Every structure is written in C-alpha cells, then in structure tokens.
Amino acid sequence: MVSRPCSGTRTGQIISTIKIRQTAYQKNDVVISGGVSFSSDTVCKTQNDVALSLPTGDEWLFATGAQYQITPQSNIGFAVSYLNMQSSRVQSPEQFKGSYDNPYLWFASLNYSYQF
C-alpha cells in the first residue's frame, strides 16, 4: 500500500505555518508562557480524500505552560496544548473509509530538569 497525502488534487505548494503570538512573562522564579499558531495545508486542494496517515488540513494550536526554578540547578515545568484540526474524509483504502469531523487533540507534559 502506498501512502499519499491526497488523491491527485495537489496544488504544488508547500505547507505554511503562521505563528500568530508567542509570549512569556517572568516574575521571580516563575516563567509563564503561551502561544497561538495557525498552520495551513496547501498541499491538498480539498479535504475530501486525504491519506489515513495524515488526515489534517488547516490547524489552530493554542499552548500555555509554566516553569518554576526550585534551586539554581533544578526546575520543574508543566505545559498543555490544544490542537484543533480541519474536518476531512478518507476514501481509500475501502476498509478505512470514513470522516474526521471536528478533530482535536490535547497534549500535556510535566518535566523536571537538574543541571550537574
């Protein structure tokens, strides 16, 4: 089986990403950050027959996080992101035919760092 990004409806353009806003605020030992970005899939003219491996079109990403400096050598952080993707449809292979209506993903991470 050959994976394809779309079924013969290529525009010849590349995927573009626009970072709308990214900011960070620091107060004492705490850094709070956030950002918004928009990514446009300009490879496929339509989202009516996309590849099962990558069924995304236009995407909005919203993210925020915080980091706390525990000691000069260690810090802990947390981040959460929400990704909202464009609805799309998969036409083939036949056994996987279907649609992705209003798909979205949540990402969360927790980290600890120590410098030796």
Side-chain angles (χ1 to χ4, degrees), residues 2-10 41 43-57 86-94 96-100:
V2 176
S3 178
R4 81 252 185 283
C6 34
S7 63
T9 56
R10 300 177 68 88
D41 179 358
V43 174
C44 300
K45 288 183 183 177
T46 177
Q47 291 300 109
N48 287 328
D49 189 13
V50 297
L52 182 62
S53 61
L54 191 61
T56 63
Q86 181 179 353
S87 296
S88 59
R89 296 170 61 153
V90 174
Q91 300 294 329
S92 60
E94 184 67 30
F96 295 114
K97 185 176 182 178
S99 64
Y100 293 87

Side-chain angles (χ1 to χ4, degrees), residues 25-26 28 51 54 56 58 108:
Y25 172 76
Q26 183 169 0
N28 298 328
L54 191 61
T56 63
D58 295 347

Side-chain angles (χ1 to χ4, degrees), residues 6 15 21 24-25 33 61 71 73 78 82 90 94 101 110:
C6 34
I15 297 172
R21 182 74 174 147
Y25 172 76
S33 61
L61 176 67
T71 68
Q73 294 82 24
F78 174 78
Y82 171 75
V90 174
E94 184 67 30
D101 298 321
L110 179 65

Side-chain angles (χ1 to χ4, degrees), residues 16-24 32-40 58-65 80-84:
S16 61
T17 300
I18 301 169
K19 188 181 293 184
I20 296 175
R21 182 74 174 147
Q22 181 178 359
T23 188
I32 299 172
S33 61
V36 176
S37 70
F38 174 76
S39 182
S40 175
D58 295 347
E59 300 174 342
W60 281 96
L61 176 67
F62 304 90
T64 188
V80 64
S81 300
Y82 171 75
L83 177 64
N84 187 316

